[in-house]
Amino acid sequence: MIEFVHQARVDWMPKVPKVVHIIHHPIPTTCNDERVHELVFNPTTFPQAQTSDWFEIWSEPSGPHFIFNGHRQTPTDKVKPKDLSIAEPLGKEFGIPNRGMVHYHVHTAGKVVDQFELDYVVMQFKDTYLSRSDLWRVSQDLQGKAVYVDQKYEGPDKIMAVIKTLVSKKNEKAQTGLISSQTKIVFQSRSATIYWLWQMSAEMWSYTGDGELYFDLAVNSLIQKFLHTWEKDDSTHCIAVIFFSRVIYPDNTYEDFYKVVKMLAGKRDHEAMQRKLKMHFGTFLQSMGCASFFKEEH
């Protein structure tokens, strides 16, 4: 009687790391081209590896290690490497030589690799509405996958996003990593509508020790900081600055006043946006009928 014993797959790597040949494969130029895989491996060289496995590679003994999702070469694939092939943009970005040699380690999918596990990931999307259920589906879809900085992600229902930041469990920025069930995913929109409420109290028309109005201080420092940050991220937010105030009259009655100032933040004229805020700042005081009071105070 012959007894068959099931042998579980385990991470495998020679005791002395071997080196394999690697080439770069181009990205598609038309929508009819096949989907580009980050890393394609030859099943003859890696008979135990599966498409779901992760490949850790490094070119120099003391150099950085990177991890990618592996794709098992099939007869229909256009990319047919001798050992490994990596997408050309990734090879250039991470300094992986074309037609060179790299060390490798194959990790079985599903097992946590401590050195690559990410603490959190920042994803940016633009001109797309995402509901809470969409965010949950994206989070589930990314679990157990290797990701890299500036990776273009296409998820369920054609959700498009870009992975901008990876932070490891050691609180260090990483270039590649693994998303586990413990990884926190932060979603950032680059085309959001932001409502900014400014309480226009009497202090807004008061002067700082440097002789600057507190309102001008807010516009020239706080607003500028946000605008430059959004411009750097290529964001095009729509900002609605809402001035609001309450005027209390001598008979203890009061009246509330509001003013909405809409602006677009992005690669635009920051000075024009500041002028617009300051113009509405002046007219808001007149709309409250308090201009004469502040003239007497100042």
Side-chain angles (χ1 to χ4, degrees):
M1 178 178 177
I2 300 176
E3 182 179 358
F4 292 92
V5 179
H6 173 72
Q7 183 177 3
R9 293 178 63 237
V10 296
D11 285 6
W12 57 279
M13 183 179 74
K15 292 182 179 179
V16 179
K18 289 184 177 179
V19 292
V20 292
H21 186 261
I22 191 168
I23 61 173
H24 293 179
H25 59 260
I27 59 175
T29 56
T30 69
C31 59
N32 295 324
D33 287 340
E34 64 180 12
R35 179 180 180 273
V36 172
H37 300 284
E38 303 158 14
L39 191 77
V40 179
F41 63 89
N42 190 323
T44 303
T45 307
F46 305 95
Q48 294 177 278
Q50 302 297 325
T51 290
S52 57
D53 290 342
W54 305 310
F55 274 71
E56 175 186 352
I57 61 175
W58 64 101
S59 55
E60 299 293 338
S62 59
H65 291 215
F66 308 105
I67 193 163
F68 301 102
N69 300 303
H71 171 73
R72 189 182 181 93
Q73 177 191 325
T74 65
T76 59
D77 286 341
K78 293 181 181 179
V79 180
K80 300 183 184 298
K82 174 186 174 183
D83 297 321
L84 291 175
S85 179
I86 189 170
E88 186 176 18
L90 293 181
K92 291 181 177 180
E93 177 68 23
F94 299 127
I96 299 170
N98 184 24
R99 303 185 183 280
M101 307 300 289
V102 292
H103 301 272
Y104 71 89
H105 189 152
V106 182
H107 298 276
T108 302
K111 290 190 175 182
V112 177
V113 184
D114 292 338
Q115 71 182 96
F116 288 107
E117 186 181 7
L118 297 170
D119 184 37
Y120 71 88
V121 175
V122 177
M123 300 183 68
Q124 290 186 349
F125 56 93
K126 186 177 181 180
D127 301 327
T128 303
Y129 172 76
L130 295 182
S131 64
R132 293 182 66 88
S133 61
D134 291 330
L135 301 182
W136 181 84
R137 286 202 300 273
V138 170
S139 300
Q140 294 299 306
D141 182 58
L142 284 171
Q143 282 190 25
K145 290 185 178 179
V147 293
Y148 54 89
V149 174
D150 290 333
Q151 177 180 349
K152 294 181 180 179
Y153 168 81
E154 182 176 344
D157 299 328
K158 301 296 182 179
I159 295 174
M160 307 292 289
V162 178
I163 296 174
K164 297 299 294 184
T165 306
L166 306 178
V167 178
S168 69
K169 289 292 185 180
K170 296 180 180 179
N171 200 30
E172 297 174 346
K173 285 191 175 182
Q175 292 178 292
T176 64
L178 295 174
I179 295 180
S180 69
S181 59
Q182 303 301 315
T183 302
K184 297 177 286 293
I185 300 180
V186 180
F187 296 92
Q188 291 183 346
S189 173
R190 293 189 292 127
S191 56
T193 300
I194 300 171
Y195 295 93
W196 207 341
L197 276 68
W198 286 30
Q199 182 179 2
M200 305 302 288
S201 60
E203 286 77 13
M204 280 294 199
W205 286 268
S206 300
Y207 291 95
T208 67
D210 297 330
E212 185 178 17
L213 281 177
Y214 278 104
F215 178 83
D216 290 338
L217 180 64
V219 172
N220 296 334
S221 58
L222 184 63
I223 290 287
Q224 278 283 36
K225 180 180 179 181
F226 281 103
L227 292 178
H228 284 302
T229 300
W230 292 333
E231 182 176 0
K232 185 178 179 181
D233 292 338
D234 193 27
S235 301
T236 53
H237 298 307
C238 178
I239 307 173
V241 178
I242 303 173
F243 296 154
F244 70 97
S245 187
R246 171 171 291 182
V247 177
I248 301 177
Y249 299 111
D251 59 355
N252 290 329
T253 60
Y254 63 86
E255 186 175 0
D256 293 328
F257 294 87
Y258 305 91
K259 179 69 176 181
V260 179
V261 183
K262 287 189 176 182
M263 302 180 296
L264 288 176
K267 293 183 178 180
R268 290 173 171 80
D269 187 352
H270 293 180
E271 292 185 1
M273 298 174 70
Q274 290 175 303
R275 288 195 300 269
K276 185 175 182 179
L277 279 174
K278 292 179 180 180
M279 179 189 70
H280 286 285
F281 170 70
T283 58
F284 184 72
L285 182 63
Q286 296 175 356
S287 68
M288 293 191 298
C290 300
S292 59
F293 169 78
F294 281 99
K295 285 181 180 178
E296 294 175 3
E297 289 289 314
H298 295 86

